[in-house]
Amino acid sequence: MEQAQLNWIANFIWGIADDVLRDLYVRGKYRDVILPMTVLRRLDAELEATKQAVLDMKANLDAAEIVNQEVALRQAAGQAFYNTSKFTLRDLRNRGSQQQLKADFEDYLDGFSSNVQDILDNFEFRNQIPRLSKADALGTLIEKLLDPAINLSPKPVLNGDGSVKHPGLDNHAMGTIFEELVRRFNEENNEEAGEHWTPRDAVKLMARLIFLPIADQIESGTYLLYDGACGTGGMLTVAEETLQELAKAHDKQVSTYLYGQEINAETYAIAKADLLLKGEGEAADNIIGGPEHSTLANDAFPAREFDFMLSNPPYGKSWKGDLERMGGKSEMKDPRFMIEHAGDPEYSLITRSSDGQMMFLANMLAKMKHGTALGSRIAEVHNGSSLFTGDAGQGESNIRRWIIESDWLEAIVALPLNMFYNTGIATYIWVLSNRKPDHRRGKVQLIDATKWFRPLRKNLGKKNCELSEEDIQKVCDTFLAFDESEESKIFPNQAFGYWKVTVERPLRLQVTLNPETCTAFRRVCTPLKEEPLANLVDQAHEVLGAGLHNDYNEFLAALKKLATQSNVKLTAKREKLLQAELAQKDDAAQPVIKKIHKPGKAEANVLYGRYEADVDGKACVVEYEPDTELRDTEQVPLLEPGGIAAFIEREVLPHAADAWVDASSIKIGYEVSFTRYFYKPQPLRTLADIRADIVALENENKGLLEEIIGGIGLT
């Protein structure tokens, strides 16, 4: 059937909403009625030919007291669904009262198979029936959908002479009409559309990015496609069509199986209904959804691996509820998010609970095929936060590290702004594969496609542009060429990695002993019942003498001797009190020693804070107490020539000669900065240009003051 005819049918159904529901629903709610009613009309038309066979089979099964009737009834219907009610929609057109129509219509709905019941339940369509019945609109809706002007049946409508009046509507055509209705309703509700519906141009680009690189490697066979946040299922169906077209172009025959999971009830119902309308009953059974089916907390396909995966997960959406159901960060054992990597048997991929988009990517990575020639290919849309959010060692950074160190990331494509319906933020397509071709191994391609778009004639929410066919082809050509250009940059994997190190500096303390400091220290000790410690400090004042003691190590050693002589225990708590209330920081003081290594037990390493020193006349290695107020962190690129040592020597020691790196703090992180790689500095304006602008402004305003006050008659 030609596209013009399909558009005409979609327009006709769209018009029913305006005709029947205008004063009954606000426009944003028309779809709550029109979409399920369109589904019912199509299913009803497909079941007409086998209606009696299904009723006969039902009677036989009941007589034989067979409980599990699903398979037999599907076979009798010749479809992946059936209806055991004695009614069809045509039977319901002429009911004497709305009450009778309502009762018979509900009986009709109750006769459908479980997969259709699931769709109706998630549409919450039964909740609409009392309202439609009360307004006398239910019968009108049925009548209009049965209008002889349109044919939603797979069989053609014939004229009296046997010629075709209306051609039959095959499953693909019906699916196209339904998707067009979904698109229109989503655009009507553009503020929420982006949550469940990705623009078709973006989906086309994603599908081509995962299929084109391996188009000539596709063999005849079966392929599994998956979307863990499938919304209305558009990504899966577009991907399926793209794969089928490419296979056909290469003289291959492929079978595809679609799998998806969606938490939103209505969009899940739309996805499942769309597949049923296309005659893909098995695929419809593989779409799992509803509020109880969160992909993160309740994985519907834990044992499945997929050939191709596409998704547009929710951005900036909290998954705290899922996290709690999974036991929290400390108790989570889900193998999708707690893995082994880089020698860590409990490498955590758990992100902040305020944004779970990277968790959806980790879920896909856990479902990759590793034992096939093509492996798995993934395309997923993210906002900019997935590029850099999360510090080294945190979930987001760990996911990036796992991906890049596993050499799975092929490319990231920056899309134009304002491409999606409810957000104007920057968005990016991540393209991944666990079977990188040789020329891509160890490298990542970044593509800046932000300037490749065409404006819309009319904004759809915040969406004001789209990718034309030429724009999509330009991105794909750039991706496949894998060459450096103004819009394409290629980097080694390690270019995105860094060591995060904590840089410490020593704590330097001095103690000033005089009557005033001793008295002040006693005032602190008295309420703490630490008079013995105050007495010890007074004794030190007498023995060590008044004045400045700028080596806290020597002062503390002397105080310990006095404590032993006076039978006072100098506990860790008391040492902490001394340091906090008696000692003072002084840049000229000697560093406070934290640990003394016995001779031969440790090697000096200035970079990591182990210094050669002379303590009590013995050569040894010491570590100093760090000053937390002087603590700092540095990000050292993994590609830094000479590594951490060279970076610290060049960037830190010239400014803080006593600094060292805390070896236990070193973590590896990964982030991607498009701004850094594609930044184009704008040249400063010349003085001549600036002067010319000033002169132009002066000339423009010349005489303006006289013009304003000219009539006042100032003298």
Side-chain angles (χ1 to χ4, degrees), residues 103-373:
D104 290 349
F105 187 68
E106 288 175 339
D107 179 81
Y108 168 75
L109 296 181
D110 292 342
F112 273 108
S113 52
S114 58
N115 51 0
V116 180
Q117 296 296 341
D118 189 25
I119 293 171
L120 295 174
D121 290 345
N122 281 281
F123 268 128
E124 297 184 351
F125 180 60
R126 284 182 173 82
N127 296 345
Q128 311 301 327
I129 297 173
R131 187 174 186 178
L132 293 169
S133 179
K134 185 177 180 180
D136 199 16
L138 182 57
T140 307
L141 273 173
I142 295 172
E143 190 71 37
K144 285 187 173 292
L145 283 168
L146 292 170
D147 193 306
I150 63 167
N151 178 27
L152 296 184
S153 167
K155 291 185 175 181
V157 175
L158 304 179
N159 292 309
D161 60 0
S163 61
V164 175
K165 181 179 181 182
H166 297 301
L169 203 62
D170 64 24
N171 289 326
H172 179 77
M174 185 63 222
T176 302
I177 291 170
F178 189 72
E179 286 185 5
E180 173 64 14
L181 291 172
V182 172
R183 182 189 68 79
R184 293 190 191 185
F185 283 124
N186 278 327
E187 289 178 357
E188 284 286 317
N189 288 5
N190 50 56
E191 285 305 313
E192 62 177 274
E195 293 183 22
H196 313 299
W197 194 62
T198 307
R200 184 57 62 94
D201 51 340
V203 179
K204 284 183 179 178
L205 174 58
M206 293 170 69
R208 293 185 192 179
L209 287 173
I210 63 171
F211 291 124
L212 287 179
I214 47 89
D216 58 351
Q217 300 174 50
I218 295 173
E219 298 293 339
S220 297
T222 301
Y223 295 92
L224 276 59
L225 283 66
Y226 170 73
D227 184 347
C230 69
T232 55
M235 279 196 181
L236 287 172
T237 54
V238 170
E240 180 182 41
E241 291 168 3
T242 306
L243 176 57
Q244 294 281 2
E245 289 171 3
L246 287 173
K248 185 177 180 181
H250 289 79
D251 294 323
K252 304 295 182 183
Q253 293 185 337
V254 299
S255 298
T256 52
Y257 292 89
L258 308 184
Y259 294 80
Q261 191 163 351
E262 170 58 38
I263 193 171
N264 180 275
E266 184 190 31
T267 50
Y268 158 63
I270 292 172
K272 191 162 186 172
D274 186 35
L275 291 171
L276 269 186
L277 296 184
K278 291 176 177 176
E280 300 186 36
E282 187 172 348
D285 290 340
N286 290 332
I287 303 297
I288 308 298
E292 72 277 19
H293 288 289
S294 164
T295 300
L296 300 184
N298 187 11
D299 183 12
F301 310 105
R304 286 279 184 186
E305 294 179 341
F306 301 96
D307 299 284
F308 304 104
M309 294 175 264
L310 307 87
S311 193
N312 178 12
Y315 314 148
K317 184 178 179 181
S318 172
W319 65 287
K320 187 175 181 180
D322 285 334
L323 181 60
E324 291 173 352
R325 285 191 289 275
M326 298 167 79
K329 282 192 175 183
S330 60
E331 299 298 326
M332 185 186 293
K333 302 300 181 186
D334 194 312
R336 293 176 296 167
F337 310 122
M338 293 296 293
I339 66 168
E340 182 175 351
H341 180 68
D344 184 352
E346 293 187 349
Y347 187 84
S348 174
L349 307 178
I350 304 171
T351 67
R352 298 162 301 146
S353 61
S354 59
D355 187 354
Q357 61 180 301
M358 290 290 280
M359 299 287 283
F360 282 85
L361 182 53
N363 168 65
M364 282 189 163
L365 295 169
K367 299 181 183 301
M368 291 193 299
K369 286 187 173 182
H370 294 278
T372 60

Side-chain angles (χ1 to χ4, degrees), residues 578-687:
L578 281 168
Q579 194 175 108
E581 302 295 340
L582 183 63
Q584 299 291 325
K585 289 185 179 181
D586 187 342
D587 290 343
Q590 293 298 311
V592 176
I593 296 175
K594 174 184 178 182
K595 184 176 183 180
I596 301 174
H597 295 277
K598 293 181 180 179
K601 295 295 184 182
E603 293 184 5
N605 188 324
V606 175
L607 176 65
Y608 294 112
R610 294 192 296 275
Y611 300 89
E612 293 180 346
D614 193 309
V615 179
D616 296 333
K618 296 179 181 179
C620 56
V621 174
V622 301
E623 295 181 29
Y624 295 128
E625 190 78 37
D627 187 337
T628 57
E629 292 182 0
L630 299 178
R631 182 173 292 157
D632 200 0
T633 58
E634 298 284 351
Q635 285 191 4
V636 183
L638 294 184
L639 294 179
E640 172 73 28
I644 295 173
F647 180 91
I648 296 298
E649 184 175 351
R650 185 184 73 249
E651 300 292 339
V652 176
L653 295 183
H655 311 287
D658 57 358
W660 75 87
V661 171
D662 177 4
S664 66
S665 73
I666 299 175
K667 293 184 176 69
I668 293 178
Y670 278 78
E671 65 181 23
V672 181
S673 174
F674 261 78
T675 304
R676 182 195 312 159
Y677 304 131
F678 290 98
Y679 174 69
K680 297 180 180 123
Q682 299 297 320
L684 295 175
R685 299 176 65 204
T686 65
L687 290 175

Side-chain angles (χ1 to χ4, degrees), residues 183 187 197-205 415-421 449-460 462-472 475:
R183 182 189 68 79
E187 289 178 357
W197 194 62
T198 307
R200 184 57 62 94
D201 51 340
V203 179
K204 284 183 179 178
L205 174 58
L415 297 175
L417 297 176
N418 301 309
M419 261 197 65
F420 289 75
Y421 295 94
T450 55
K451 301 295 189 294
W452 297 339
F453 64 87
R454 68 181 175 195
L456 294 178
R457 286 177 293 180
K458 178 183 176 183
N459 286 9
L460 300 172
K462 293 185 179 179
K463 180 177 174 64
N464 64 11
C465 66
E466 65 181 357
L467 299 175
S468 67
E469 186 62 35
E470 292 74 20
D471 295 322
I472 293 173
V475 176

